[in-house]
Amino acid sequence: MPVEPSSPADSVPSSADSTPADPPRGEARRRFLQRSGLGIAAALAASSAATVHAAGVAAADANAVKLSLIQDPNTEQKEQTPDPNLPPDDRVGYAIVGLGRLSLNQILPALSQCKYSKVAALVSGDRAKALKIARQYGVRESAVYDYQSFEQLANNSDVQVVYVVLPNSLHREYTVRAAKIGKHVLCEKPMATSVADCQAMIDACRQANRKLMIAYRSQYEPMDRMIAKMVKDNQLGPLREFIASNSQNVGDPTQWRLNKALAGGGALPDIGLYCLNAVRFITGREPDQVIATVSRPDNDPRFREVEAGVHFILSFPEGFTATCAASYASHESRFFRLQGAQGWAEMDPAFGYNGLRLRHGLLVDGKNAVTELQIDPQDQFAREIDHMSSCVKRDAMPHTPGEEGLQDQRIMEAIYESARTGRAVPIARPTSPTRGPEPDEETF
Ligand code: NAD
C-alpha cells in the first residue's frame, strides 16, 4: 500500500513551461467539433458527452473576442494568443493520484492551461497536504481521497480519467484499480517495472473498455514533432545514426528512484527511456537488437540497488543505429542528434520541460547551412492531457497507448539482459502498431 510522505523526495528534470499554444482556431475547433460528434455518427444519440463538449467548443468560440490583425499575415508569424476556454462543466475531469513533485510542479499547473481538461479529484496518503492543494485548485473537500478510499472515485461522476503519478512499481495496481471502477487511465512513464505488469494494465483496461494512455510528453512537444516530420518528409535523407544522452546527478540516497522494488531500475527506466522512446517515435522505426552495459561509481551509497549509468546501442534495419547513454551521476546534460546522409537535426537541450532548442544542418547552394528553428514554447503536459481528453470525448485511441509503453519495457528488459550477459540481445518487432493516430496539430 502506498504511503505519502509529506515532503516527497525526487530528482527530476528541469522546470515547467508555459505559453498556451496556437492562435484562435475557429476552423480547427470546428473540425474537432465535427469529429467529436460526427466521427461516431452511429452512436450519435448515445454520445451526449461529445455533443455537450461540441456545444462547449462552439460556446467557447462564440465567446472568443476577435481583434483585427495589425501585422501582414503573408510575412509575419501569427501572434500567440490564448485559446478561449471550455466551460468547466464541459471539460474532462481528472483524479490526480500521488501528490509528489511532478503532480505539484507540473501537472496541476498544466491543468490550469488545458482547454478540454480540469482537475476534479485528488488521491493522497497525506490528507493535510491534499486539502491544501485542493483549496489552491478549487477541488471540493469531498473529492479528496486516500489510497484506501480510492474505489469511492467510482461514485464521482466528475472524474472520467485517473492520472497515475506514483512511483513506477505502483502504476500497475492503480491502473488496474481505476479500470475496475470504470475510469480511463493516463499513466506516467515508465509504464511499469516489468513486461508482465504492462500487459496486465493493457488487459485490465481492455476488459473494462477503458482507454489507457502513457504520458510520453515529448511525443506531444512541437520541436520533437517537427523533427519527426522532417524524417517523414525525407529531409535528412536515409537515416544513419541517432546519438543521445540524458543525465542528472541525483541526491538523496533514500529516494524511491534508487530503490529497485519501487523504481524497477536506475537511470535507464527514468531518464534513459527518453532516449529510447525518442528514437522510436521520431524515426517511426523499431530496433532488432541491442548491446548494452551498465555502470556504478565505486562505493557510492546511492547505487546499492540500481545502476548509475547505462549505455546501449540499438540496431535497426538498413544499417541505422542509435547510441544512447543515461546517467544518474553526471551533471545535467540532455541532447540528441539524428544524422542522415543528407543532413542532421538535433535538440540540445532535449527532453526537458522548457528551454528546448532545435537546430538542423543541410547543404544549401553548396554550403553547409545550420538553422535554428524558433518554435514558441508550449506546455507539453497541457498538450498531452488535452490529447487524452480529446480521445475520451471522441472515443478515439490515444497516440501513446499502453502498447507504446509495453514495447519500451520489452526493449529495456533486453538492455538489462545484454548488460548482464555481455552479449547482443535480439528484440522482437511488435506484431501491430504501438501508437494510435497522430494528434491533430491544432486541437490536440
Ligand atoms: P515523487 O517522489 O515526487 O512523488 C511520488 C508521490 O507518490 C509522492 O507524493 C509520494 O508520497 C507518493 N507515494 C505513494 N506511495 C509511495 C511509496 N510507497 N513510496 C514512495 N512514494 C509514494 O515522484 P515524481 O517525480 O512525482 O514521480 C512520479 C511518477 O512520475 C514516476 O513514475 C516518474 O517516473 C514520473 N515522472 C515523469 C516525469 C515526466 O516528465 N513525464 C517527470 C518526473 C516524474
Side-chain angles (χ1 to χ4, degrees), residues 46-162:
S47 70
S48 60
T51 311
V52 167
H53 180 61
V57 174
D61 268 350
N63 289 333
V65 176
K66 304 266 191 302
L67 301 174
S68 63
L69 285 178
I70 58 167
Q71 309 287 11
D72 182 344
N74 297 314
T75 66
E76 307 307 300
Q77 182 179 296
K78 276 188 188 164
E79 187 183 1
Q80 292 242 315
T81 55
D83 281 297
N85 290 336
L86 275 186
D89 287 352
D90 295 347
R91 295 179 178 219
V92 173
Y94 285 72
I96 308 300
V97 185
L99 298 181
R101 175 167 295 211
L102 187 69
S103 294
L104 267 48
N105 294 350
Q106 308 302 330
I107 293 171
L108 285 162
L111 273 155
S112 311
Q113 296 195 23
C114 283
K115 295 178 285 183
Y116 312 131
S117 322
K118 66 179 176 191
V119 54
L122 302 174
V123 180
S124 167
D126 180 339
R127 189 157 176 88
K129 173 170 73 172
L131 289 177
K132 209 185 258 183
I133 302 298
R135 275 194 296 281
Q136 201 177 329
Y137 286 94
V139 175
R140 284 178 289 117
E141 195 173 327
S142 59
V144 174
Y145 305 83
D146 61 22
Y147 298 110
Q148 287 74 27
S149 61
F150 178 89
E151 273 68 23
Q152 288 175 18
L153 279 168
N155 307 320
N156 186 337
S157 58
D158 285 346
V159 174
Q160 283 117 300
V161 181
V162 165

Side-chain angles (χ1 to χ4, degrees), residues 173-230:
E173 177 186 344
Y174 284 86
T175 297
V176 172
R177 286 173 70 178
K180 279 195 179 143
I181 56 168
K183 305 296 180 184
H184 304 288
V185 180
L186 176 56
C187 177
E188 261 311 322
K189 51 55 60 182
M191 180 173 176
T193 52
S194 70
V195 164
D197 281 4
C198 294
Q199 193 61 57
M201 293 159 72
I202 292 172
D203 293 346
C205 291
R206 191 171 291 146
Q207 261 167 30
N209 194 22
R210 298 293 84 185
K211 297 183 193 307
L212 171 58
M213 171 170 150
I214 309 305
Y216 282 114
R217 62 181 164 77
S218 297
Q219 295 208 33
Y220 303 89
E221 190 286 311
M223 292 189 192
D224 288 88
R225 295 181 62 73
M226 176 76 85
I227 298 180
K229 183 164 185 308
M230 283 179 186

Side-chain angles (χ1 to χ4, degrees), residues 268 292-296 306-311 415-416 418-420:
L268 176 60
T293 60
V294 294
S295 58
R296 291 177 166 82
V306 299
E307 78 282 355
V310 59
H311 293 74
I415 289 171
Y416 281 132
S418 173
R420 198 172 55 246

Side-chain angles (χ1 to χ4, degrees), residues 1-5 8-10 12-13 98-103 129 147 165-168 170-171 188-190 215 217 256-257 262 270 274 353 381:
M1 185 58 67
V3 292
E4 188 95 4
D10 179 37
V12 216
L99 298 181
R101 175 167 295 211
L102 187 69
S103 294
K129 173 170 73 172
Y147 298 110
V165 201
L166 291 166
N168 309 339
L170 301 172
H171 292 182
E188 261 311 322
K189 51 55 60 182
R217 62 181 164 77
W256 68 261
R257 279 183 168 75
L262 285 168
D270 191 23
Y274 285 90
Y353 301 156
F381 291 96

Side-chain angles (χ1 to χ4, degrees), residues 272-352:
L273 177 59
Y274 285 90
C275 308
L276 168 59
N277 192 252
V279 67
R280 290 183 54 241
F281 84 79
I282 285 173
T283 66
R285 296 172 185 205
E286 294 295 344
D288 296 323
Q289 179 181 284
V290 68
I291 181 135
T293 60
V294 294
S295 58
R296 291 177 166 82
D298 288 342
N299 303 320
D300 190 323
R302 295 173 297 175
F303 306 113
R304 287 197 195 97
E305 298 193 12
V306 299
E307 78 282 355
V310 59
H311 293 74
F312 53 97
I313 301 175
L314 297 160
S315 307
F316 294 75
E318 297 166 19
F320 174 59
T321 59
T323 304
C324 305
S327 173
Y328 260 173
S330 303
H331 179 65
E332 177 175 315
S333 170
R334 315 174 193 284
F335 63 87
F336 71 76
R337 184 182 272 216
L338 177 60
Q339 302 180 158
Q342 292 158 25
W344 54 262
E346 72 173 20
M347 286 184 65
D348 185 358
F351 311 131

